[in-house]
Amino acid sequence: EQPNLGALTVVGSPFRMSATPASVRTAAPRIGEHSRQVLKELLGYPESKIEGLVRESIVMAAEKGD
């Protein structure tokens, strides 16, 4: 299930393993869902810089708290 979209049909894994069968356990991230986290925690951007990038539509980011 994808938030706001419901159930989606996706391509299955091309690999078949008897001991560890493939499965989809969670939905794919939404566009921009992890942008703030990556920019802040991995790249060290300050919040003011992130807000500027979002405001100028340079990056997509979920609203704070989403």
Side-chain angles (χ1 to χ4, degrees):
E1 293 271 332
Q2 200 46 285
N4 302 324
L5 296 176
L8 299 174
T9 302
V10 297
V11 177
S13 174
F15 306 104
R16 303 284 182 241
M17 296 176 266
S18 59
T20 56
S23 66
V24 176
R25 294 180 187 94
T26 62
R30 293 173 289 150
I31 294 174
E33 183 175 349
H34 299 109
S35 296
R36 291 181 190 278
Q37 180 182 5
V38 169
L39 292 170
K40 185 174 186 175
E41 295 176 17
L42 299 179
L43 300 177
Y45 281 37
E47 193 63 37
S48 59
K49 177 74 170 176
I50 296 170
E51 289 302 323
L53 293 171
V54 172
R55 189 173 38 259
E56 296 295 323
S57 299
I58 294 169
V59 297
M60 296 282 296
E63 295 297 320
K64 291 181 184 176
D66 280 355

